[in-house]
């Protein structure tokens, strides 16, 4: 297990440079100083990278992006709730249902064809499911998008066989 707050903060830091370049106000908020969590570093990192890449792609200069992290008890299990909130162009309501499809491309005229979310959200959805979590996307045209990822973080949430504990090597 690991501290999820510093892990998310590390990924956040990678994007600070892009935020400066694009003149986007970029904030990280956490309700806890530390969240002791069982999570798959690789998957959580990919989920965050993809969500943040999308947020930066769809947020114009001068607007803002927030990353928030909270701990919540859901059905007696501890979960981490990670939100990536952008105040960008948003997704039209009629397209929201299809954002998780594999090669979904937004029909928004302001975005070049290459910038459809492509495998992005389908891939994130897949990673979140493997992590026994949930992803929820709310969006309003011209107001922005909120992606909420809820992941179980207690050891009990994972079956014994899906946890590979790294044993210290004896030399």
């Amino acid at each position: 297990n690991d501290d999820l707050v510093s892990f998310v903060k590390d990924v956040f830091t990678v994007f600070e440079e892009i935020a400066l370049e694009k003149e986007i106000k970029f904030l990280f908020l956490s309700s806890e100083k530390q969240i002791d969590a069982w999570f798959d570093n690789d998957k959580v990192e990919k989920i965050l990278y993809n969500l943040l890449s999308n947020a930066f792609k769809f947020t114009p200069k001068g607007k803002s992006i927030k990353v928030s992290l909270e701990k919540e008890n859901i059905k007696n299990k501890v979960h981490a709730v990670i939100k990536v909130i952008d105040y960008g162009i948003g997704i039209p309501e009629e397209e929201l249902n299809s954002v998780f499809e594999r090669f979904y491309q937004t029909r928004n005229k302001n975005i070049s064809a290459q910038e459809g979310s492509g495998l992005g959200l389908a891939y994130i959805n897949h990673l979140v499911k493997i992590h026994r979590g949930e992803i929820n996307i709310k969006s309003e045209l011209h107001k922005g998008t909120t992606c909420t990822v809820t992941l179980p973080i207690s050891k009990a949430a994972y079956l014994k066989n899906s946890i590979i504990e790294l044993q210290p090597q004896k030399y």
Side-chain angles (χ1 to χ4, degrees):
N1 61 340
D2 235 327
D3 172 25
L4 191 60
V5 178
S6 56
F7 186 82
V8 174
K9 181 86 173 135
D10 286 347
V11 178
F12 171 88
T13 307
V14 173
F15 285 85
E16 283 183 314
E17 193 85 8
I18 302 166
L20 281 172
E21 273 169 35
K22 286 190 80 174
E23 293 172 40
I24 287 171
K25 209 169 122 186
F26 192 36
L27 303 166
F28 174 71
L29 312 158
S30 175
S31 62
E32 320 280 323
K33 283 202 162 42
Q34 196 177 339
I35 298 175
D36 225 22
W38 285 89
F39 62 96
D40 182 324
N41 297 37
D42 182 55
K43 287 184 186 64
V44 173
E45 186 177 12
K46 284 184 174 130
I47 290 165
L48 285 168
Y49 259 86
N50 279 285
L51 287 178
L52 283 167
S53 300
N54 277 350
F56 275 97
K57 205 184 283 181
F58 300 124
T59 302
K61 191 173 150 167
K63 298 281 188 184
S64 62
I65 295 174
K66 276 194 271 202
V67 177
S68 80
L69 177 58
E70 282 174 359
K71 202 160 87 170
E72 240 179 69
N73 276 320
I74 303 165
K75 296 180 190 142
N76 299 325
K77 284 196 178 78
V78 192
H79 287 70
V81 179
I82 304 167
K83 289 185 183 181
V84 173
I85 304 159
D86 74 63
Y87 296 87
I89 59 173
I91 303 164
E93 205 175 326
E94 67 276 10
E95 291 185 29
L96 262 180
N97 301 328
S98 49
V99 292
F100 291 122
E101 286 165 18
R102 254 186 91 191
F103 291 101
Y104 160 76
Q105 296 280 330
T106 177
R107 288 185 287 281
N108 191 313
K109 304 291 168 284
N110 309 335
I111 297 164
S112 63
Q114 298 80 37
E115 293 203 74
S117 39
L119 277 174
L121 288 169
Y123 178 57
I124 295 168
N125 192 22
H126 170 69
L127 291 176
V128 170
K129 296 264 180 291
I130 292 176
H131 212 296
R132 299 200 167 81
E134 277 178 26
I135 181 164
N136 186 294
I137 296 182
K138 286 194 167 66
S139 189
E140 218 177 315
L141 209 52
H142 312 302
K143 294 214 173 136
T145 304
T146 299
C147 297
T148 306
V149 174
T150 308
L151 301 171
I153 53 169
S154 56
K155 188 176 182 177
Y158 301 98
L159 298 170
K160 288 275 179 275
N161 62 8
S162 65
I163 297 173
I164 299 164
E165 289 191 51
L166 298 173
Q167 299 301 332
Q169 295 297 312
K170 306 253 188 302
Y171 291 107

